Amino acid sequence: MLSVNYSIQNSYQQIYPQGAYMAPQMPTAQRNYCVFDQNKVDYFVKQKEQSIPYLTEVLKHSNNETQIVETLYIMDRMIDNGTKGIDKLYPFFARFNNTESPNIQTFLAGIYRKTQVPDAFGPLVNMLIQNSLKPHNPNQTFDPNEEIGGAILSYINDRFNKNQ
């Protein structure tokens, strides 16, 4: 975990002591979606803006795909819950713009679709192009290009609607 200790993480650990937390489960051949500890997700989502410093530290420092995906999922849910300021975190999300992880790409594209940060459009197009140049992986559990393409279309649609 991180060396930076924020009170929100300490509070979470007091409510859900070690061992009570279910580790995130990445997609498998039998299950093409992630499974997250909903108690942890709900805890951070309910904290709204107070959660942002801790989650930002995870994005800044973690190289663990599972931890990154979980953090992106929490932030996606926070956007749905009306948390303000997540669009300002683009510099931290941008660290993953060149990732080859289909899991990170999928969650990142979902956040970009919802925040519509102008700087994210180019990286989305780049992800889609890079993915299309790779040979098909039959072991891949799902296709991130669906979410990436949807995010690109959302950007285009929103720009088109603003011009009318």
Side-chain angles (χ1 to χ4, degrees):
M1 201 70 203
L2 303 171
S3 61
V4 177
N5 245 334
Y6 283 95
S7 61
I8 191 151
Q9 178 65 8
N10 292 337
S11 298
Y12 175 75
Q13 288 174 341
Q14 289 172 3
I15 294 170
Y16 301 102
Q18 295 287 33
Y21 162 70
M22 180 189 78
Q25 298 172 31
M26 301 304 277
T28 65
Q30 295 76 35
R31 179 183 30 80
N32 68 344
Y33 57 90
C34 297
V35 176
F36 301 102
D37 183 333
Q38 286 306 304
N39 288 328
K40 180 177 183 180
V41 172
D42 292 344
Y43 178 82
F44 283 99
V45 169
K46 287 176 187 170
Q47 299 301 314
K48 297 185 79 97
E49 289 80 9
Q50 293 175 328
S51 295
I52 291 175
Y54 172 75
L55 297 171
T56 301
E57 286 299 313
V58 172
L59 293 176
K60 279 173 38 178
H61 300 290
S62 181
N63 292 317
N64 179 304
E65 178 186 21
T66 303
Q67 186 178 42
I68 294 164
V69 168
E70 178 185 50
T71 302
L72 292 173
Y73 176 73
I74 291 170
M75 291 193 146
D76 185 76
R77 290 277 316 280
M78 290 171 68
I79 293 167
D80 292 343
N81 196 43
T83 302
K84 305 289 183 220
I86 293 182
D87 58 325
K88 309 279 188 277
L89 301 178
Y90 176 76
F92 304 105
F93 296 131
R95 175 177 174 230
F96 307 105
N97 284 347
N98 294 318
T99 185
E100 293 189 10
S101 163
N103 300 311
I104 293 174
Q105 286 181 350
T106 300
F107 285 95
L108 192 61
I111 289 172
Y112 288 167
R113 172 187 273 186
K114 292 175 183 179
T115 60
Q116 295 284 302
V117 176
D119 290 348
F121 183 79
L124 284 166
V125 172
N126 187 56
M127 274 186 235
L128 189 63
I129 292 169
Q130 293 301 316
N131 288 349
S132 70
L133 296 174
K134 292 182 214 166
H136 175 68
N137 179 354
N139 298 323
Q140 190 168 310
T141 53
F142 57 91
D143 184 6
N145 292 339
E146 183 177 337
E147 186 68 30
I148 295 167
I152 291 169
L153 289 174
S154 181
Y155 270 81
I156 293 169
N157 186 45
D158 286 358
R159 298 302 178 259
F160 178 74
N161 287 336
K162 285 180 183 176
N163 292 332
Q164 288 187 349

